[in-house]
Amino acid sequence: MEDRIVQYVEAEYEAAVERRHYIHRHPELSYQEYKTTEYIEGFMKEWGISYERLASGTGLVAFIEGEEPGKTIAFRCDIDALPMQEETNVPFRSVEKNIMHACGHDMHTANMLGFAHILSLHKELVKGKVKFIFQPAEELFPGGSRKLIAEGFLDDVDVIYGLHVTPFRTYQEVSIRKGAIMSGSYVYRIRVKGKGGHGSNPSNTVDPVVAASAVVMALQTIVSRNAHPSETLVVSTCMIHGGTKGNIIPDYVDLEGQIRSYSEELGRMALQRIREIVEGVCAGYGCKTEIEFEDGYAPLINEDTSAETAERALQKMHYATLNVMEPELGSEDFSYYLYKTKGAFFHLGVRSSQEAPVIPPHSTHFLADDRALATGMEAFLRILLEEE
């Protein structure tokens, strides 16, 4: 079986690269992935794989059933791109203006297609049912996973696995860990309302600029005074906007920022402290306030037994070595699948070598190494066989 897996991946590799280049060249934004979905759908028809489109019209869920009974094991990829102008010089760079696969979802999709094609040719590898989730809108709150779950596509799933590319590892490395691996995200928007007037006579105003400045500084105490030093919490006010001219005190100032934490409880605590601090500071400066909170994605927490299964499988890799994943403060809507069922998420390295520069996702220069596709296809195959 070891040799067969490598043979299957090698036979699929060139076609997987071609598909990846096509997807990269033709990116589409969240919930606009119509052509991408049609592209995927065409292969499902060609390979005789049953599928169902999502109600949104973009994305689909396909499945292969084996002859022997077994679990329903799902694998997920995301198919959307980002609103960015690509600045790489590769021949397959995006032909769409201001749209780019800057987060590696072209790799995720091509990897899943290759995995699905291998299983369609070698159904003896399948016991029970394997589901292939081609999910739209990972990059757009509230995320495509929640809609997919609401449509019932996870109701029969016993365990789910997914991956994300990382430029912090080479294409010959994979990594995983148990527990929290990506943070939850929460957005806050604050309007500090005062009374505007001429900058030469501030005593006739209630200055929201001064109050907003005090709010920004006071919010920094949440991390230093309300979170235990061993816990990870980030509170960042990233936008401040107010006023129209240097001699006019405005009527209001707007602030916007975000919270990141591996603990939903800690994130909720920070939201409550934001409300208390903002209301208190603004009252002290004679201002009023409006506060709005928006949930991003929940913390992504790998279920222990699934992470252990994946770890055992990834230790058997031919194309890559296994490393321990370092938790990161990015967010992923794969987290909601793990609220619904067991599963785990792991990282697939995509840097060309240890010496190559690290270009992070969401950069206009981000580009993954094609060779990671062989690693990714093998990883999914190893995990499938370990689960069965």
Side-chain angles (χ1 to χ4, degrees):
M1 179 59 70
E2 298 292 318
D3 291 339
R4 283 165 54 193
I5 289 176
V6 175
Q7 290 170 7
Y8 297 159
V9 170
E10 288 179 349
E12 189 67 24
Y13 176 71
E14 293 299 331
V17 171
E18 289 182 12
R19 296 181 204 119
R20 182 268 170 123
H21 289 184
Y22 177 87
I23 296 165
H24 189 92
R25 192 179 293 116
H26 302 283
E28 295 177 292
L29 299 177
S30 302
Y31 289 127
Q32 299 177 32
E33 314 99 327
Y34 294 102
K35 292 180 181 178
T36 304
T37 302
E38 290 172 4
Y39 183 72
I40 297 165
E41 187 176 44
F43 288 114
M44 298 302 104
K45 291 177 179 178
E46 178 183 340
W47 300 335
I49 300 176
S50 301
Y51 69 91
E52 184 177 344
R53 276 208 185 201
L54 305 184
S56 64
T58 67
L60 60 83
V61 176
F63 65 89
I64 293 176
E65 292 195 71
E67 294 183 359
E68 297 183 44
K71 293 182 284 190
T72 297
I73 304 169
F75 294 84
R76 173 269 204 171
C77 72
D78 35 18
I79 66 175
D80 55 330
L82 288 159
M84 303 171 66
Q85 183 63 46
E86 183 166 357
E87 294 186 283
T88 71
N89 293 315
V90 294
F92 56 91
R93 62 185 173 274
S94 173
V95 298
E96 305 296 333
K97 185 177 181 181
N98 295 323
I99 308 177
M100 175 191 177
H101 272 296
C103 203
H105 296 186
D106 55 326
M107 294 289 289
H108 300 172
T109 306
N111 181 71
M112 184 74 86
L113 284 169
F115 175 56
H117 189 214
I118 290 171
L119 293 186
S120 74
L121 296 173
H122 305 283
K123 292 185 179 178
E124 71 277 5
L125 298 177
V126 179
K127 295 178 182 178
K129 181 190 290 186
V130 176
K131 278 193 169 183
F132 313 96
I133 297 174
F134 295 89
Q135 180 205 302
E138 189 277 330
E139 297 287 0
L140 182 68
F141 291 158
S145 66
R146 283 192 263 194
K147 288 190 176 182
L148 190 145
I149 292 167
E151 290 180 43
F153 286 105
L154 238 66
D155 288 353
D156 64 340
V157 170
D158 295 299
V159 62
I160 185 169
Y161 292 95
L163 63 78
H164 203 294
V165 301
T166 175
F168 299 100
R169 302 281 187 182
T170 73
Y171 70 94
Q172 295 174 307
E173 297 175 278
V174 289
S175 58
I176 193 168
R177 72 182 297 135
K178 294 187 288 187
I181 62 168
M182 298 185 78
S183 73
S185 59
Y186 313 88
V187 175
Y188 57 89
R189 299 182 183 90
I190 301 164
R191 174 161 286 186
V192 179
K193 300 191 294 183
K195 175 187 173 185
H198 200 285
S200 65
N201 196 356
S203 61
N204 285 338
T205 72
V206 178
D207 192 340
V209 175
V210 175
S213 301
V215 165
V216 172
M217 298 305 295
L219 293 183
Q220 299 307 299
T221 64
I222 296 173
V223 174
S224 65
R225 291 297 176 267
N226 298 120
H228 191 276
S230 66
E231 297 179 304
T232 299
L233 178 66
V234 174
V235 178
S236 295
T237 302
C238 301
M239 188 276 284
I240 180 166
H241 178 77
T244 57
K245 200 171 185 294
N247 63 350
I248 301 173
I249 293 174
D251 287 318
Y252 63 88
V253 172
D254 288 327
L255 308 172
E256 184 172 328
Q258 61 176 316
I259 297 166
R260 299 283 173 138
S261 174
Y262 299 124
S263 161
E264 189 166 5
E265 180 181 0
L266 193 60
R268 297 293 176 193
M269 179 279 294
L271 291 175
Q272 179 61 30
R273 288 297 292 135
I274 285 173
R275 182 176 297 281
E276 293 167 353
I277 289 170
V278 171
E279 290 177 347
V281 170
C282 286
Y285 282 86
C287 291
K288 297 182 180 179
T289 184
E290 295 174 359
I291 305 171
E292 177 185 334
F293 297 133
E294 179 183 354
D295 281 357
Y297 297 157
L300 201 168
I301 303 173
N302 277 344
E303 187 267 329
D304 284 356
T305 60
S306 302
E308 290 167 357
T309 298
E311 184 175 358
R312 289 195 304 271
L314 297 175
Q315 285 173 340
K316 301 173 183 178
M317 293 282 289
H318 170 78
Y319 289 105
T321 57
L322 175 64
N323 297 286
V324 177
M325 179 190 292
E326 294 297 328
E328 61 177 78
L329 288 164
S331 298
E332 242 281 356
D333 74 346
F334 189 87
S335 58
Y336 294 106
Y337 295 124
L338 301 186
Y339 277 55
K340 179 70 175 177
T341 190
K342 296 196 306 180
F345 199 67
F346 65 97
H347 277 169
L348 170 67
V350 293
R351 196 158 93 253
S352 59
S353 70
Q354 294 288 359
E355 294 73 33
V358 175
I359 300 175
H362 293 223
S363 163
T364 57
H365 297 280
F366 177 79
L367 192 67
D369 192 304
D370 282 331
R371 290 172 288 185
L373 289 170
T375 309
M377 289 186 289
E378 182 191 5
F380 274 178
L381 286 167
R382 298 282 184 193
I383 291 171
L384 172 64
L385 295 177
E386 194 70 29
E387 269 288 352
E388 293 178 338

